[in-house]
């Protein structure tokens, strides 16, 4: 028979194990990272088979989605709550949506996004007629502030997504600086595309230092080592992601989405490579 001391020792060991278990499970990968996908990446596949494609996204490991298919009050033809429920049933969150819209329809657009439970609504692209001169960018900044007010009214955070043209000097200034300097930091955040800012000749960290806290969303994509500087699976190209992720607090980053605008090979192989790299990276 064991002594009272043996009993107490065993009890203490069991208690310690119970306290340590959640942490141990977490460190063994039970607590999954949030790794999102901008599903514009698989737009052709979505057009062919919406549900099957989203299931494959989830099976690859992505657990957060940024959409790019809103129109007529629906997401990819689905009612807002129906679309979100479909994603949730697959283990994914509907976090953000790319939508070009104007102030005259902002109420209904933002209302549909709020109904879907989406957190961010992102203005994804600035047409050429609005970027012919700096006045065009300043007028755009005014419009973004207005759209940001509508988003806030509906409990959403508004953001603007860049390409490389915002970094081409114009009239002695950088248009991206004009947009960020002339928009309200509370109403208009930036979804920083790490590929496009690099292709535009600047670095993410440069902008984190210049406009701290503005970059709540990121597009994480890589650039191949060719003169073309084509898109590449994350972790296979020339962009060094560690110092960028190390500066996430200064940036204000809350969520990120893998995106690959175009792919020369098998997009599912690239998406698996990107997910594996980010999931295994200690700095993410």
């Amino acid at each position: 028979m064991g002594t009272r001391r043996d009993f107490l020792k065993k009890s203490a060991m069991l208690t310690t194990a119970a306290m340590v278990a959640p942490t141990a499970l977490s460190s063994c990968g039970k607590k999954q990272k949030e790794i999102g996908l901008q599903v514009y990446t698989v737009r052709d596949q979505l057009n062919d088979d919406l549900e099957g494609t989203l299931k494959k996204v989830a099976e690859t490991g992505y657990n957060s989605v940024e959409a790019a298919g809103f129109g007529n009050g629906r997401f990819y033809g689905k009612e807002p709550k129906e679309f979100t429920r479909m994603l949730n049933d697959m283990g994914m969150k509907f976090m953000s949506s790319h939508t070009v819209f104007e102030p005259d329809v902002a109420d209904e657009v933002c209302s549909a996004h709020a109904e879907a439970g989406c957190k961010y609504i992102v203005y994804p692209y600035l047409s050429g007629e609005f970027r012919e001169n700096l006045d065009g960018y300043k007028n755009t900044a005014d419009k973004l502030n207005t759209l940001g007010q509508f988003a806030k009214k509906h409990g959403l955070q508004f953001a603007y997504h860049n390409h490389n043209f915002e970094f081409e000097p114009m009239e002695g200034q950088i248009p991206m600086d004009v947009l960020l300097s002339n928009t309200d930091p509370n109403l208009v955040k930036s979804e920083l595309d790490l590929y496009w800012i690099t292709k535009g000749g600047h670095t993410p960290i440069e902008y984190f230092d210049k406009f701290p806290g503005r970059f709540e969303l990121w597009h994480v994509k890589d650039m191949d080592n060719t003169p073309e500087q084509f898109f590449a699976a994350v972790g296979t190209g020339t962009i060094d992601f560690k110092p960028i992720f190390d500066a996430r607090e200064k940036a204000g980053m809350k969520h990120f989405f893998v995106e690959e605008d175009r792919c020369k090979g098998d997009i599912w192989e690239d998406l698996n490579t990107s997910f594996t790299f980010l999931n295994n990276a200690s700095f993410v």
Side-chain angles (χ1 to χ4, degrees), residues 168-275:
E168 297 170 1
M170 178 180 286
E171 301 171 33
Q173 296 186 59
I174 303 295
M176 189 67 177
D177 294 13
V178 172
L179 288 176
L180 289 169
S181 298
N182 289 278
T183 47
D184 184 330
N186 294 312
L187 295 176
V188 183
K189 302 296 183 182
S190 172
E191 178 172 57
L192 191 68
D193 190 297
L194 305 184
Y195 170 94
W196 286 118
I197 187 175
T198 302
K199 193 155 190 176
H202 293 266
T203 69
I205 293 171
E206 172 191 347
Y207 272 77
F208 299 162
D209 290 337
K210 193 182 291 189
F211 298 98
R214 293 295 295 274
F215 307 96
E216 289 194 5
L217 304 177
W218 295 355
H219 272 186
V220 178
K221 62 177 77 166
D222 215 337
M223 176 186 293
D224 75 9
N225 190 21
T226 68
E228 187 181 6
Q229 295 183 315
F230 199 73
F231 308 101
V234 179
T236 67
T238 60
I239 295 177
D240 185 359
F241 292 101
K242 185 179 187 305
I244 299 173
F245 273 90
D246 285 347
R248 77 183 80 190
E249 287 190 17
K250 177 171 277 190
M253 189 269 278
K254 294 184 178 179
H255 309 279
F256 67 86
F257 306 95
V258 170
E259 185 185 39
E260 193 168 337
D261 299 34
R262 287 178 289 147
C263 177
K264 292 181 177 179
D266 185 331
I267 188 58
W268 294 109
E269 286 184 13
D270 275 14
L271 288 182
N272 183 66
T273 297
S274 296
F275 176 83

Side-chain angles (χ1 to χ4, degrees), residues 40-284:
Y40 176 79
T41 305
V42 289
R43 56 197 176 277
D44 295 335
Q45 292 83 353
L46 288 172
N47 287 334
D48 292 337
D49 181 3
L50 176 67
E51 190 168 353
T53 299
L54 291 174
K55 279 182 179 177
K56 197 165 182 179
V57 168
E59 288 166 358
T60 304
Y62 295 94
N63 52 17
S64 175
V65 161
E66 182 174 60
F70 178 79
N72 299 318
R74 294 168 172 250
F75 297 90
Y76 300 97
K78 300 285 187 181
E79 293 291 342
K81 289 182 179 177
E82 182 186 8
F83 180 68
T84 302
R85 184 166 53 250
M86 182 171 61
L87 291 176
N88 292 165
D89 288 346
M90 297 174 186
M92 298 189 291
K93 294 182 287 187
F94 185 18
M95 189 60 64
S96 178
S97 172
H98 275 201
T99 309
V100 174
F101 63 109
E102 299 298 321
D104 61 333
V105 295
D107 244 334
E108 44 200 280
V109 170
C110 291
S111 176
H113 282 72
E115 184 182 353
C118 192
K119 305 301 180 187
Y120 292 84
I121 184 167
V122 181
Y123 201 89
Y125 183 78
L126 190 61
S127 298
E129 65 266 29
F130 301 115
R131 46 187 167 94
E132 294 177 351
N133 51 49
L134 282 187
D135 283 342
Y137 280 100
K138 290 174 183 176
N139 292 334
T140 294
D142 290 340
K143 181 172 76 173
L144 297 180
N145 280 325
T146 299
L147 296 178
Q149 289 174 337
F150 278 104
K152 185 176 182 180
K153 170 186 169 184
H154 289 274
L156 302 164
Q157 177 62 63
F158 182 72
Y160 175 82
H161 169 270
N162 67 277
H163 288 79
N164 59 331
F165 52 74
E166 293 94 340
F167 298 95
E168 297 170 1
M170 178 180 286
E171 301 171 33
Q173 296 186 59
I174 303 295
M176 189 67 177
D177 294 13
V178 172
L179 288 176
L180 289 169
S181 298
N182 289 278
T183 47
D184 184 330
N186 294 312
L187 295 176
V188 183
K189 302 296 183 182
S190 172
E191 178 172 57
L192 191 68
D193 190 297
L194 305 184
Y195 170 94
W196 286 118
I197 187 175
T198 302
K199 193 155 190 176
H202 293 266
T203 69
I205 293 171
E206 172 191 347
Y207 272 77
F208 299 162
D209 290 337
K210 193 182 291 189
F211 298 98
R214 293 295 295 274
F215 307 96
E216 289 194 5
L217 304 177
W218 295 355
H219 272 186
V220 178
K221 62 177 77 166
D222 215 337
M223 176 186 293
D224 75 9
N225 190 21
T226 68
E228 187 181 6
Q229 295 183 315
F230 199 73
F231 308 101
V234 179
T236 67
T238 60
I239 295 177
D240 185 359
F241 292 101
K242 185 179 187 305
I244 299 173
F245 273 90
D246 285 347
R248 77 183 80 190
E249 287 190 17
K250 177 171 277 190
M253 189 269 278
K254 294 184 178 179
H255 309 279
F256 67 86
F257 306 95
V258 170
E259 185 185 39
E260 193 168 337
D261 299 34
R262 287 178 289 147
C263 177
K264 292 181 177 179
D266 185 331
I267 188 58
W268 294 109
E269 286 184 13
D270 275 14
L271 288 182
N272 183 66
T273 297
S274 296
F275 176 83
T276 302
F277 173 80
L278 292 165
N279 197 42
N280 291 338
S282 61
F283 53 81
V284 176

